[in-house]
Amino acid sequence: MRGAPSALPILKYLCLLGVLVLAACTPQLRVAGPEGVAPVRLDFPAMRSFAAASPGPARRPNAQIARDFSDLSFQLESGRPIPLFTRFEGPVTVAFNGPVPAQLAADLDGLLARLRAEAGIDISQITGGDATIRIELVAPRQLRQAAPGAACFVVPRVRDWAALRRNRQSPLIDWTTLQVREQAAVFIPNDATPQEMRDCLHEELAQALGPLNDLYRLPDSVFNDDDMHAVLTGFDMLILRVTYAPELRSGMTPPEVMARVPGILERINPAGAGGAAPLTAATTRDWTQAIIIALGGTASRGVRQQAAAHAVAIGQARGWTGTRAGFAQYVFGRLQIGTDPSLALGAFNAATRAYAGDPNLRIQAAHVAQQQAAFALIARDPEAILALTGPAITVARQHENAALLAVLMMLRAEALDLQGQPEAAMALRLDSLGWGLYGFGDRDAVIARLNEIASLSRLPS
């Protein structure tokens, strides 16, 4: 189940000095250039999208991945144990319930191709017929009523929203009662941006096929409620490849499965053999609850700030490093924007230190770099912006995060303007627009991001 979109947008808590955008409803866009230079009118380009390439292979030892497989496969997010291993036996078919945007259909094609090539799953799309997994777009209000706090989710043994409503209180849709998977339905909000729909598609289809848990300790997976990863990673595909290995079958007990998993990993992931496999401490319930409160939209800002500070303190007391330490600092920093900028920047710098040096945490570091670059823009420090955004743009592109990519490009364009390179800045800004359409959904939203970012350089530093 993918979490609801974060209520902590990067720039909206900053006090912006003006609205620069014009003619948002037309196919052209006017962008303010350097001070004293007349705005330039640009044609709005077509939406850009990615080619559904893998972000890269799993890079951790097999012994560690085996423990992750166990925790992902035999426990729900709520902590309830899953008594039996289940998967779809035989070919898997996927279909949409009703019409969907063309971009979502294209994204499904790309995802299914990756699942066949990387996870070895016999999966294909059909039109009509009795598909084993069905995907339906639903009004957000209905989704919130069914699963508060979730942006999208997957349910077993139903074909559509009407069947879910009829069985909401029934054990029929309880994953722990399955002995084999035969039917599932994925529900996605019908007003989401193209990227949000694709992100939901990746995580929920993967959970329909395999693991049902999310683990905050995972650095390299969409099966992590920090939502740092947008698309299925090499680790995720490896987990699904294990799930559909011929050595396993539905109905096996956890010990029966885990007796076979090391051998499966040795066979399909020889690169993970040997090497140190440090045991990562389990994420405690108090830390998870603090993060949930900090990310939630119902509590006051003060309560959320306190919860984020508590999560940071819990992690420090337990000696945690890496993904959880960095994420707690990241959440705390975002909540301090507009309240205590110095505290916010200090938290982002701490998050960078937590993520540093681990190739599995590069996308997390790119998210933090976006925040740091915004502060550098306020300080009118173009060299710092360029140093932060260069590596982050490469990572955002590799991990197929168009929203992050577009914002990083917009920030970098402002730095080029500050350096007296208006033509290079305008070219980069224009390139960001197509990615922005995919990430933010429409021209108005893209133009709003451009204006927010342009306004930062006019704030008092």
Side-chain angles (χ1 to χ4, degrees):
M1 178 170 65
R2 193 164 189 88
S6 172
L8 304 168
I10 145 186
L11 302 168
K12 290 196 175 180
Y13 297 127
L14 295 170
C15 302
L16 302 179
L17 291 184
V19 179
L20 307 177
V21 79
L22 316 147
C25 60
T26 72
Q28 293 184 316
L29 162 69
R30 189 179 297 176
V31 179
E35 199 166 329
V37 178
V40 178
R41 184 172 288 278
L42 302 171
D43 289 331
F44 221 110
M47 181 187 295
R48 301 284 297 275
S49 61
F50 298 96
S54 173
R59 297 183 180 90
R60 293 189 286 122
N62 283 343
Q64 196 174 59
I65 293 171
R67 289 196 296 266
D68 295 337
F69 179 86
S70 177
D71 290 343
L72 286 168
S73 301
F74 295 112
Q75 186 171 288
L76 295 176
E77 288 184 61
S78 64
R80 291 174 59 207
I82 298 173
L84 297 174
F85 174 78
T86 63
R87 67 183 187 188
F88 290 98
E89 301 293 344
V92 180
T93 52
V94 183
F96 289 112
N97 288 339
V100 298
Q103 185 58 57
L104 181 60
D107 284 335
L108 177 62
D109 287 342
L111 175 55
L112 295 183
R114 282 193 62 198
L115 288 167
R116 288 189 292 267
E118 297 179 52
I121 299 174
D122 182 359
I123 187 168
S124 59
Q125 184 178 358
I126 63 172
T127 55
D130 191 18
T132 45
I133 301 175
R134 305 194 73 88
I135 303 162
E136 184 168 344
L137 302 186
V138 180
R141 179 181 56 81
Q142 294 176 291
L143 284 174
R144 287 193 297 271
Q145 290 174 346
C152 42
F153 57 90
V154 60
V155 180
R157 294 183 176 132
V158 300
R159 292 172 46 87
D160 53 30
W161 186 255
L164 172 62
R165 292 187 63 183
R166 289 194 302 271
N167 293 284
R168 280 184 59 186
Q169 306 303 319
S170 167
L172 184 79
I173 60 171
D174 184 346
W175 289 100
T176 67
T177 66
L178 295 182
Q179 295 195 20
V180 64
R181 302 189 193 189
E182 297 175 327
Q183 181 76 56
V186 171
F187 301 108
I188 298 174
N190 61 11
D191 69 341
T193 70
Q195 178 167 318
E196 288 167 346
M197 287 189 180
R198 181 211 60 189
D199 294 358
C200 281
L201 186 67
H202 274 242
E203 182 167 352
E204 305 310 327
L205 189 57
Q207 292 199 311
L209 292 165
L212 298 167
N213 198 4
D214 281 308
L215 300 171
Y216 274 111
R217 72 167 191 261
L218 296 179
D220 50 0
S221 176
V222 301
F223 302 123
N224 184 330
D225 278 332
D226 66 7
D227 287 346
M228 290 288 191
H229 287 276
V231 298
L232 291 172
T233 66
F235 168 87
D236 299 326
M237 289 294 182
L238 182 60
I239 290 293
L240 288 169
R241 197 172 192 94
V242 174
T243 301
Y244 284 83
E247 294 93 328
L248 304 181
R249 65 181 184 279
S250 293
M252 295 176 76
T253 64
E256 289 173 331
V257 170
M258 294 314 300
R260 292 164 172 77
V261 165
I264 296 171
L265 283 168
E266 184 178 356
R267 174 173 61 80
I268 67 176
N269 189 44
L279 181 61
T280 304
T283 305
T284 55
R285 180 60 59 181
D286 58 347
W287 187 91
T288 300
Q289 189 59 35
I291 288 292
I292 290 171
I293 294 170
L295 292 175
T298 56
S300 69
R301 172 64 65 82
V303 169
R304 291 164 65 192
Q305 289 172 333
Q306 291 173 1
H310 186 44
V312 170
I314 291 169
Q316 290 174 338
R318 289 177 167 81
W320 291 349
T321 59
T323 182
R324 291 173 297 190
F327 186 60
Q329 293 282 5
Y330 175 73
V331 172
F332 179 70
R334 288 176 67 175
L335 284 166
Q336 294 298 329
I337 295 174
T339 301
D340 189 333
S342 295
L343 200 58
L345 184 55
F348 294 139
N349 292 339
T352 294
R353 291 192 294 272
Y355 292 144
D358 187 341
N360 291 309
L361 295 172
R362 291 189 306 150
I363 187 62
Q364 289 88 337
H367 281 278
V368 179
Q370 172 189 259
Q371 305 286 348
Q372 293 168 314
F375 277 92
L377 181 55
I378 294 171
R380 300 175 184 84
D381 185 349
E383 288 74 21
I385 299 168
L386 295 175
L388 287 162
T389 57
I393 283 172
T394 299
V395 172
R397 196 184 300 273
Q398 180 184 14
H399 288 263
E400 301 185 27
N401 191 322
L404 177 61
L405 175 61
V407 169
L408 289 166
M409 294 170 78
M410 293 172 189
L411 287 162
R412 192 172 180 85
E414 293 298 321
L416 293 172
D417 268 335
L418 289 172
Q419 285 190 329
Q421 302 182 63
E423 285 132 359
M426 196 57 65
L428 187 59
R429 205 173 273 120
L430 179 60
D431 194 22
S432 76
L433 302 181
W435 296 113
L437 284 175
Y438 186 82
F440 302 121
D442 59 39
R443 292 177 178 138
D444 287 354
V446 176
I447 293 169
R449 296 306 189 283
L450 276 170
N451 289 329
E452 289 170 351
I453 291 168
S455 296
L456 292 179
S457 65
R458 295 160 174 79
L459 289 174
S461 58

